[in-house]
Every structure is written in structure tokens, then in C-alpha cells.
Amino acid sequence: EDKVVQSPLSLVVHEGDTVTLNCSYEVTNFRSLLWYKQEKKAPTFLFMLTSSGIEKKSGRLSSILDKKELFSILNITATQTGDSAVYLCAVGKNSGGSNYKLTFGKGTLLTVNP
Amino acid sequence: NAGVMQNPRHLVRRRGQEARLRCSPMKGHSHVYWYRQLPEEGLKFMVYLQKENIIDESGMPKERFSAEFPKEGPSILRIQQVVRGDSAAYFCASSPSSTGGAFFGQGTRLTVV
């Protein structure tokens, strides 16, 4: 059975700290790994990673994928209270060329205190 | 460009009633996915639809659940004869292709009393 495991399950930091969130997976026919930020509303798309070793960056957030070791990390530098959310990792399978069936981890709850 | 729109945001149904959840994908997106998020669990894939076609419904419960995405209008997830265990947040996502990242709506929180 496909599995996506995120760690830690929750994390409390102070503003300005740097955090690293982890995601490991066991999925047949891997195609891509996606990161989402979920506040009280919709999961918001952050990154999609398909190749090992290529860092994706967006402002203070960055992510990288290791397809050999089957994991990804999401880094957030200089955290702000607005970064408080659940961060979801999802893996897409290569089903006939498509990427639609995402398997999600349970998420990491990040709390950034002022 | 409006995002994925779901309605209603909150829905309360008594056991045995029907629940209809609606999803309008982002403009230009013809691929729609439904996910369910149970308390303390991650998002679980339910069904993948393109216009007028169900591509994969392997995550749908075999009974009482159905989904459609008609040529005109929103995608509908229909749950007949709801039970307490159906209480969950139901998220719809859309994408412009089957290989790109999916964008999620704000979800419909279904409560069965």
C-alpha cells in the first residue's frame, strides 16, 4: 500500500527561526511530490517536485526531493506568525502518464509564536 | 481568476438524507478531483473526473456515493442516505491537465446528525 509519512507531526517555533519539515514516501510508479499549506481553508499549492536534487524556491520557502532515498524536505527561513499552518506532503503516481491520484501524508502542524 | 469554488461551505444533514456537494473548477481547468478529509486523517482520494467522464473512482465507497461532471455546470458529489461516518471535510481540486499540480477549493464540511 502506498504510504506518505511526514515528520514531525507538530512543531512550535519562535518568529525568525528556520524550520525543516520532512516527508518520506513509499509509492509505486512515483511521478511527483507536492507540498501544500493548509490553514483553516483550502490547501494552497506550494511546490511540485519531479526531479532529484533540484531545489525549488519561493521567497522564504524552499524544497528539494531525493528520489534515491525517497524523501523530500520543506525549509522555511525567518519564520513569521503567518507561516502557522498544517503543511501537507502528497505524492502523485504515474498512472498511464497522469498524475492525478495524490496520496497525502497526515501533515505537520507548524505554530510560529511571536 | 477565481479559484476553485465549492458550495456550500457547511452542510448539516440528518441520517438518511441526501447530501449534494458542488464544485466549480478554476477557469480553463477540465480535470476535477474529489478528496475526503476525516478527523485526524490525511486527505484521501475519492474520484477523478473530466467533462462528462469518470476517469477513476477507485477511492469512492461502493454504495451511496456518486459523482458527476456534466458538460455544463459544476461537478457534483452526491451522498445518499448519509450516516454519521460520512461527516468529514470534502475537498474538490482542479487542474488544467492530468500532470500538473492540483488547486484545491475551500472544502465543504459535512456534518451528519
Side-chain angles (χ1 to χ4, degrees), chain A residues 1-96:
Chain A
E1 188 182 327
D2 297 333
K3 217 167 24 171
V4 177
V5 179
Q6 292 186 246
S7 63
L9 288 180
S10 65
L11 189 56
V12 180
V13 300
H14 291 289
E15 265 192 320
D17 288 350
T18 293
V19 298
T20 298
L21 309 183
N22 304 292
C23 175
S24 63
Y25 61 91
E26 291 176 29
V27 172
T28 53
N29 296 320
F30 172 88
R31 185 179 183 93
S32 62
L33 186 144
L34 297 89
W35 284 96
Y36 288 87
K37 177 183 181 183
Q38 185 176 24
E39 296 168 270
K40 290 185 180 175
K41 304 174 182 178
T44 305
F45 175 77
L46 295 175
F47 300 111
M48 184 169 78
L49 302 149
T50 55
S51 301
S52 276
I54 299 173
E55 187 184 48
K56 292 224 172 176
K57 282 183 74 92
S58 176
R60 296 177 293 103
L61 277 65
S62 64
S63 183
I64 198 160
L65 172 67
D66 185 330
K67 288 166 75 171
K68 186 178 173 188
E69 300 296 328
L70 308 183
F71 79 91
S72 173
I73 59 171
L74 175 68
N75 278 321
I76 309 175
T77 58
T79 52
Q80 302 171 358
T81 54
D83 295 327
S84 296
V86 174
Y87 289 83
L88 298 170
C89 172
V91 173
K93 294 167 70 84
N94 195 1
S95 301

Side-chain angles (χ1 to χ4, degrees), chain A residues 101-112:
Chain A
K101 199 166 183 175
L102 298 178
T103 300
F104 279 83
K106 291 188 178 181
T108 293
L109 173 62
L110 174 66
T111 303
V112 181

